[in-house]
Every structure is written in C-alpha cells, then in structure tokens.
Amino acid sequence: MATPALFTPLRVRNVELRNRIVIAPMCQYSAEDGCMTDWHLIHLGQLALSGAALLTIEATGVTPDGRITYADVGLYDDATEKAMGRTLESIRKWSDMPIAVQLAHAGRKASTEKPWMGGRQIAPDAPNGWQTVSASAIPFDPAYTPPTALDKEGLTRIRDAFAASAVRAARLGLDAVQIHAAHGYLLHQFLSPLSNQRTDEYGGSLENRVRFPLEVFEAVREAFPDKAVTMRVSATDWVDGGLSVEETVQFARMLEKRGCDAIHVSSGGLHIEQKIPVGPSYQVPLARAVKAAVKMPVVAVGLITDPEQAEAIISTGDADLIALARTVLYDPRWPWHAAAELGAQVQAAPQYLRCQPSRLKGLFAN
C-alpha cells in the first residue's frame, strides 16, 4: 500500500518533518513573570511524544507588555530564556521532535485576565495590568481602555524586540520561528483596515498596512539565519470592510519574496462583531486560496479532527500540512490513532513500544 499523504515526509528549509502533522501553538496562561513553569514541561513534554512532525511553543511575548496576559510565556530577557532553556533541555532528553516557537505581541488585546477567570481586559492602573499599544488608538472592545497608537520610536522598539527574541531562540537551538500575525494581535492590527486607521506610511493602502509586519519579518529573518521562519496569518476578519482573502494572498506573495519558509493560514480574532461559519475544515478554503498563489508550504488549521478529513486536505493539495490545537489537547496521541486508521507508521518512544496493539503490528516505525 502507498503511504497515506498525511504521513509522507516534507522538508521546510532546515527542518525535516516525518509527516504532515504539526502541533499549533496553544497558550497555557501558566507562566510566572514570563518564565515557563513545570506545567510547560508536562504539557509540551507529552506533545513531544505524540508522533507529530513539529511542536510549536505557544505565543511567546517579545516584550512584557506584548503578552496577552500576565501569565503568558515570554522570551525577552535572560530569565525567560533560561526558563525556556530548562524546559527544552528536559524535553530533548526524551524526544527528537523538531521544536518551533511562536513569537508574538498582543497589541491592543494585551493586559487581560486568564480565560478561565473571565478573560476581560485589566485596566492599566490595576494589578497585573498595563497600557496597551496598537496601530491606532482603537480598542478591541468599546469597554476597554484605548491603546496608545505606536509612534516611529515604538515601532522600532517592537521590531527590534522581535529580532532580539529570535536571537534568543537561535541560542536555545530552536528549529524554527513562527511570527504571529493572526487572531487580532499586533501585526494583524496593522494588516486590517478595521484596526489600522493611520494616515502615515503604515496605514491606508495594503502596501502601507503590510509595511510594519514585513519589517518585523525581515528583522527576524536576519536574526534567525539558515533556519525556518514562518508566519501565521488570519486570512479574513469575517467582518465587512476588514482584511480580505485577496489581500492576504498578496501579503503571502510578499512574504515569500522575502524568504518566508511557510505560512500558517487561520482567520478571525480581530473584531468583536466577526461572524465565523464554524464547521469541520471551515478554514481550509482560505489555505487553498493562499496555496494557489505561492510555492512555500501552506498549513491548514481549524476543526480538523478526523484522520480521513486530514488525509483529504493533504492528498487533494488544499494544503501541505495540517495543524492541530484543541484536537491534540483532547487526544495527545492523535497522530498514533490517525496512523492506525490510515494504515501508516508513526514514531513512538521506545518506552511505549510494547503498547502497540496486536492487530497493528507495523504501526510503530521503530
């Protein structure tokens, strides 16, 4: 039997992927002063044994005020780098899965409470709160404190912070960096005309709105040489007058020309009035539209829960990779179960080899 498309290898710049399943970044809101804790070792450690091809560390703030919440992971000083290094050292003793980090700045969606404690914005003068920044002084929610519109000095500071975090990522030996320009966070706030109403060279036309995200990409690309740098985008805001799929396609082409190694296509998160037609594979058409326009690998995500569904996405060419988030939280062995269902092989730690079901004698590649 031919190997299912979902379990064929793929090379993305320096990263050798055993299959087409990647684990998307998933915020855990369990850091202390930006530093990873034992929770991250438990969480990431189990996912590093899942049989997926790549593990991506959650949205990691490039500055303290770029974190979504006070409990987010950061990579902006020696303490946060050391904490991440301890976690990575432990995981690498037991797993050779490539590991990436998603570098992020939350912009106007920062300074919030943990989701399970309500998730509302924390006022700048309250404990665990701070003044947010954005492309324009437009709050995410009318009830929130408006962000400060970034001036040129602020733009430079944040661009350089992304680059500095990428240097730290390289020092930690991470295999890839993903830049977060999706889900309504800072770089997405520049891309969308709903949140970017600037009148300088960073606002107005698409050419201007992509300027800062591209400057950040170029700075990270230079700071993380010879390794994969990718971008995560929201292809549409799902709001009239917002960022369109056509504009995202143009942005993807610009990224590719600048050396982007892959693009992860998500959607939404920018506006409280978004109307998202949620359903199985609801974002796959967005990935398909981007894939038709670029040669770099495209990652599809969004309610991909069934192995046959994932196989169809890859085998029909809608995307090159599928990303799992909530699905793999619910079932950390999803790649094993997908391989079993599709008749493929998957990598397993030697400590687990004896759990291979008797009816699936060729499941584990070891």
Side-chain angles (χ1 to χ4, degrees):
M1 288 179 58
T3 301
L6 188 63
F7 286 90
T8 56
L10 181 69
R11 183 181 178 88
V12 180
R13 202 179 185 97
N14 60 293
V15 186
E16 296 285 352
L17 302 176
R18 291 190 175 109
N19 54 57
R20 306 302 182 92
I21 306 166
V22 301
I23 296 177
M26 293 172 282
C27 291
Q28 297 298 294
Y29 311 104
S30 301
E32 297 176 356
D33 295 323
C35 294
M36 283 187 166
T37 62
D38 287 349
W39 174 262
H40 296 93
L41 178 57
I42 295 167
H43 165 67
L44 295 171
Q46 66 170 334
L47 295 180
L49 300 173
S50 66
L54 176 74
L55 172 62
T56 311
I57 295 169
E58 66 189 80
T60 298
V62 298
T63 62
D65 68 345
R67 294 172 297 163
I68 305 166
T69 78
Y70 56 89
D72 280 19
V73 170
L75 187 57
Y76 46 71
D77 61 15
D78 291 346
T80 54
E81 180 181 343
K82 183 177 180 181
M84 186 175 289
R86 283 196 300 268
T87 301
L88 291 170
E89 181 181 12
S90 295
I91 293 171
R92 286 172 175 146
K93 287 179 181 177
W94 307 106
S95 171
D96 63 355
M97 183 184 292
I99 303 175
V101 64
Q102 183 188 66
L103 298 182
H105 192 296
R108 69 181 189 175
K109 292 181 76 175
S111 187
T112 61
E113 185 53 270
K114 299 176 184 178
W116 55 83
M117 296 179 68
R120 298 292 291 174
Q121 186 188 62
I122 300 173
D125 58 351
N128 295 321
W130 58 85
Q131 177 60 45
T132 63
V133 298
S134 187
S136 300
I138 304 169
F140 173 68
D141 185 308
Y144 287 4
T145 300
T148 299
L150 286 161
D151 58 15
K152 298 291 181 61
E153 183 180 347
L155 293 175
T156 299
R157 174 179 63 85
I158 291 174
R159 180 203 66 198
D160 291 349
F162 269 94
S165 293
V167 170
R168 293 183 185 277
R171 199 153 55 215
L172 289 170
L174 285 159
D175 298 284
V177 162
Q178 181 183 94
I179 301 170
H180 200 357
H183 300 165
Y185 298 120
L186 182 62
L187 299 187
H188 186 182
Q189 291 160 29
F190 273 86
L191 290 169
S192 175
L194 296 174
S195 49
N196 183 349
Q197 296 181 11
R198 300 172 72 101
T199 57
D200 62 3
E201 67 269 34
Y202 291 96
S205 66
L206 178 64
E207 181 183 8
N208 285 354
R209 284 183 279 120
V210 301
R211 191 182 306 276
F212 184 58
L214 288 177
E215 287 179 358
V216 169
F217 174 82
E218 289 172 342
V220 172
R221 175 72 283 169
E222 183 177 355
F224 200 69
D226 306 319
K227 289 188 174 183
V229 178
T230 72
M231 183 78 82
R232 190 175 197 180
V233 298
S234 278
T236 175
D237 292 331
W238 300 112
V239 178
D240 289 342
L243 185 68
S244 69
V245 178
E246 293 75 20
E247 288 179 323
T248 299
V249 166
Q250 292 183 60
F251 180 47
R253 287 173 172 151
M254 297 175 196
L255 287 168
E256 187 169 52
K257 287 181 180 178
R258 288 163 173 78
C260 188
D261 295 300
I263 186 165
H264 182 142
V265 183
S266 189
S267 68
L270 184 106
H271 202 282
I272 60 173
E273 294 180 5
Q274 64 187 10
K275 300 289 190 301
I276 303 179
V278 177
S281 299
Y282 73 101
Q283 294 180 139
V284 172
L286 306 175
R288 183 189 307 130
V290 173
K291 183 166 170 54
V294 298
K295 295 181 180 178
M296 63 180 164
V298 173
V299 185
V301 69
L303 280 181
I304 301 170
T305 60
D306 182 77
E308 290 286 356
Q309 173 194 12
E311 172 68 9
I313 292 167
I314 304 302
S315 64
T316 59
D318 283 344
D320 300 285
L321 297 149
I322 62 109
L324 302 178
R326 292 171 177 84
T327 295
V328 81
L329 285 183
Y330 184 73
D331 179 5
R333 295 290 181 267
W334 192 94
W336 289 16
H337 303 147
E341 183 172 325
L342 298 173
Q345 284 192 323
V346 69
Q347 199 80 14
Q351 294 91 334
Y352 291 162
L353 291 179
R354 68 179 183 272
C355 80
Q356 179 176 268
S358 58
R359 70 184 187 282
L360 299 169
K361 297 189 182 300
L363 176 62
F364 292 152
N366 313 59

